[in-house]
Structure formats: structure tokens, C-alpha cells
Amino acid sequence: MPENQSNTKKAFLRATQTTPIIDHHAHPLLKHSAINTCPLMSTIIGVHSDTMYGSRTGLAHIRAITHLSALLGCETTWDAVEAAIVRRQGEEYNKWIQRCLSGIDSVLVDDCLGDAEKFEPYNHLDIFTRSPSKRIICIEEVAAKCIDLACVAYSEPTEAFSRAIKNFIGAIEKRLDDPAVAGFKSIICLRTELAISPAINVELLQQVFQRILNDKNLGNLDAPTGFGHAPLNDYFLHILASLIQNDEGGHKKPIQFDTGVGGHDRALTASSPAHLQEFIRTYPDVPIVILHAGYPFTRETGYLAAMYGNVYADMGGVFPLLSRNGQEEVVRHILELTPVSKILWSTDGHYLPETYLLAIDQCTI
Ligand SMILES: [Zn+2]
């Protein structure tokens, strides 16, 4: 390699290894008392489908084992790695977490993970980072709570619907003003689909709401509210985007969209970020972040980030889910068209600190 190229490479490596990381999408850690509630392998390798879980021959899995075993000073087998991790969980766990998160300056934490009892609060991560964490608010969770409250307060559908919308607007306005909240996230890709309808049909919305209210009145209060109903999901997202678009605060908070990879229960063909194009055009002042590089729709992600000023491409989740070659391909696809300033990085770390560690280390070695 010519000397000037070699110097450039060294300077680039130095920059990647010393630049403080803003991890703009991750999740809380499990409380120490709950770390045994998640299978180590599926959590750390990051894939939960039965097929992948059963396979120990995937390249990403082999790479993760090689890396973790070197770090933990054990044999290069999953069983040895698992035993070494369990030992770390038993002794000086905080020191190990600190090692796993080293390099991260601050984390934007999506703390919508269901059972709050099992997880540390979002700002628990502040112990291990230089700057305080901020929250990312899951929009579907907020909407579900607003609907539940309205259904308890009103039995007449039009009144309950109107109260749910008022509750939701109030909840979003509060979070737009909250400096601890960095932005919002939508899991509409998991619930219905990314192709958010541009048209709002109030009559249809009220019919959907009537069905939800009927369910509640039948005593089905514990059922997850609503969010298999596309018109309602779409409507709440339009309300959120309109509130952000019209927010007169200096900095507009983004909406992160879960896209692409996400397990066997997700409709792959409906999870391409290309389905968001109409929504992106409708709200040109709303920053939109496409999570997980939209993998496997990575070129679509890069295209949207390049074509629209309000779109950003995130590369979290790709590390450590893919093989090294796959990760490099994703970076190449995004860089084909997307300016570097539109690319964001995240760990998508969750539950266990090793998920952060693999994401960070695989980007810097
Ligand atoms: Zn996530």
C-alpha cells in the first residue's frame, strides 16, 4: 500500500477509535435480578427466530464467539463464553458493563420494552457513560395508554375517541417540551405496515374505535389496545408528525422508524422503508430516521436519505447481526448515494451489555 494511503487509513482508524459515540438508538439493560430471564445466546447474537437460534454455524455467530472468547480469556466455544459471561455477572458486574459500553459518550434510549419491572430505568446507563442518556418515546405505547384511559372514562364511542385523541395530543406536547426526550420511535412496521395511508377517513376511524370500545366493555381490558388496526395506527402517526412539523421550538425532534430486519413474525415485503416515501414527502420538516439500515433494503434506505433532506440512515442492528462481509456491504450500499452527514450509528443494545460491546467493537476493529 502506498505510504499516503497507509497514513490515510491510520488517520481514519484513529478517528473511528477515538471519536466519542452518540448511540442514538438502544434499549435499557435488564436489572441484575432479571438477567437470567433472557437466553444469553439469542439475546447476545441478536436473533430470536427458532431457525437462527438453533444454528451455531452462522458467520456472525462464529465471529461473535471468537471475539467474546478472546476478550473473556476462555475457549472459543459458546459454552465457554456463556460460562465466562455468567461469572462476570456474578462478580463486579458494573465493571464489566463499563467495559462493554466503553467508547459511548451518551445513549438515546428507547425504553419501551414491555415489563418495566425487569429493566433498569433509561438513565441507569448514565453510570457508564460520560454524558446523560435521553429518552426515545415509543409512539404506539403512548397511544395505547391514551386509548385505555379514554375507554375507562367514557362509554360512548364518539366521546371516548375524542378523549383518546386529546389525551394523545397532550402526551406528545408534554414530551416535545421535555428536554430529557430526544425523539420518538414508531413500531408500526411490526403492528400493521409502513405504507401509512395519506388519507384520513374519520368514519372508518370511529368504526375501529367502536370495536375497541366494545372489546373493552366486554371486559377484555388487558388486551393490547388497537394497534392491529391500520387506520388508527396511521392516524396517530399523522398527529405526531403534524405536531412536530408545527412545533415552534428550535430543534425538531425526530421519529425513528423500525424497518427491515425484525424476526420471523414480520412481513418482509411490507418492511421496506420505501413504503415510507409518501409520509416522508408529506412532512418535509420532520426528521425521520430509518433504523437498522432497513436491512435487507439497504439501497432503498440510502436512496431515501440521499433524496430527502429530512431522512437519516441508521446502521444499528446490522452490528452484530450480519457477517463482517455483510456489514461492509451495508456500509457500501448506504455510501453509494448518501452523504456521510446523513448517516447515524447506533448499537441497538438491549437487555445485556454484551450487545453493546459487540456493536461497538465490530465497528472499530
Ligand atoms: Zn431497537
Side-chain angles (χ1 to χ4, degrees):
M1 183 183 290
E3 198 182 339
N4 60 344
Q5 273 188 33
S6 158
N7 287 340
T8 306
K9 189 178 173 192
K10 275 187 203 156
F12 181 75
L13 276 175
R14 199 165 43 246
T16 59
Q17 287 166 354
T18 57
T19 303
I21 300 167
I22 309 291
D23 180 356
H24 80 94
H25 176 82
H27 302 269
L29 294 171
L30 283 164
K31 287 181 179 167
H32 191 263
S33 55
I35 45 180
N36 293 328
T37 59
C38 291
L40 272 174
M41 186 193 286
S42 61
T43 305
I44 292 173
I45 306 301
V47 179
H48 297 258
S49 84
D50 295 341
T51 313
M52 291 297 288
Y53 183 70
S55 168
R56 298 189 181 200
T57 56
L59 293 179
H61 178 88
I62 293 166
R63 185 178 178 209
I65 301 302
T66 306
H67 181 69
L68 287 169
S69 60
L71 201 67
L72 291 158
C74 64
E75 272 181 57
T76 317
T77 64
W78 170 254
D79 291 342
V81 166
E82 186 172 34
I85 288 174
V86 169
R87 271 198 301 282
R88 297 287 177 130
Q89 291 172 344
E91 59 197 47
E92 300 189 275
Y93 189 41
N94 274 3
K95 208 167 155 190
W96 174 238
I97 298 174
Q98 184 80 62
R99 164 62 190 93
C100 290
L101 270 66
S102 68
I104 295 184
D105 194 271
S106 134
V107 188
L108 310 189
V109 186
D110 166 8
D111 54 358
C112 158
L113 279 175
D115 186 359
E117 291 296 302
K118 278 170 59 175
F119 298 98
E120 298 285 4
Y122 81 96
N123 51 6
H124 174 72
L125 292 170
D126 295 1
I127 302 170
F128 312 103
T129 57
R130 273 192 305 198
S131 305
S133 306
K134 302 259 184 190
R135 289 184 75 197
I136 296 289
I137 303 295
C138 178
I139 200 66
E140 286 76 16
E141 189 178 75
V142 174
K145 281 182 188 154
C146 292
I147 292 173
D148 284 347
L149 283 175
C151 288
V152 170
Y154 295 90
S155 55
E156 199 283 313
T158 313
E159 277 181 337
F161 178 64
S162 158
R163 171 49 59 185
I165 301 306
K166 276 186 194 147
N167 287 348
F168 183 74
I169 291 172
I172 297 301
E173 284 177 340
K174 196 169 139 204
R175 285 159 175 89
L176 283 170
D177 289 339
D178 184 349
V181 172
F184 303 88
K185 176 198 170 188
S186 171
I187 52 171
I188 196 167
C189 185
L190 266 175
R191 299 300 172 89
T192 47
E193 56 180 45
L194 283 171
I196 300 160
S197 169
I200 294 163
N201 181 334
V202 177
E203 208 174 309
L204 186 61
L205 283 170
Q206 284 177 339
Q207 283 169 15
V208 168
F209 207 82
Q210 170 86 66
R211 284 206 297 276
I212 292 171
L213 195 62
N214 289 345
D215 272 355
K216 301 277 177 197
N217 288 340
L218 287 172
N220 198 10
L221 281 169
D222 292 333
T225 302
F227 288 91
H229 301 287
L232 205 55
N233 288 20
D234 294 354
Y235 186 47
F236 279 106
L237 264 169
H238 280 298
I239 295 174
L240 170 69
S242 299
L243 289 170
I244 296 173
Q245 175 99 350
N246 297 324
D247 183 33
E248 290 180 350
H251 172 72
K252 293 201 187 295
K253 296 186 178 181
I255 310 175
Q256 301 181 343
F257 278 92
D258 195 9
T259 64
V261 66
H264 59 292
D265 51 353
R266 179 172 299 193
L268 184 61
T269 50
S271 67
S272 165
H275 293 293
L276 282 171
Q277 193 169 13
E278 185 70 36
F279 187 80
I280 287 164
R281 281 201 194 116
T282 308
Y283 301 101
D285 295 330
V286 177
I288 288 174
V289 178
I290 298 171
L291 294 176
H292 314 316
Y295 183 85
F297 306 101
T298 46
R299 283 195 162 112
E300 286 86 338
T301 300
Y303 180 87
L304 291 168
M307 289 299 132
Y308 298 100
N310 57 329
V311 178
Y312 297 82
D314 155 67
M315 291 205 277
V318 170
F319 308 87
L321 182 64
L322 305 187
S323 69
R324 182 176 189 128
N325 191 50
Q327 291 166 350
E328 288 175 359
E329 274 299 285
V330 169
V331 174
R332 279 190 207 101
H333 282 171
I334 301 284
L335 283 173
E336 280 175 10
L337 201 57
T338 313
V340 174
S341 58
K342 302 293 290 297
I343 299 172
L344 298 170
W345 188 81
S346 65
T347 59
D348 204 17
H350 56 284
Y351 301 6
L352 297 170
E354 294 81 7
T355 57
Y356 287 83
L357 176 134
L358 287 172
I360 298 164
D361 285 3
Q362 290 188 0
C363 281
T364 52
I365 55 175

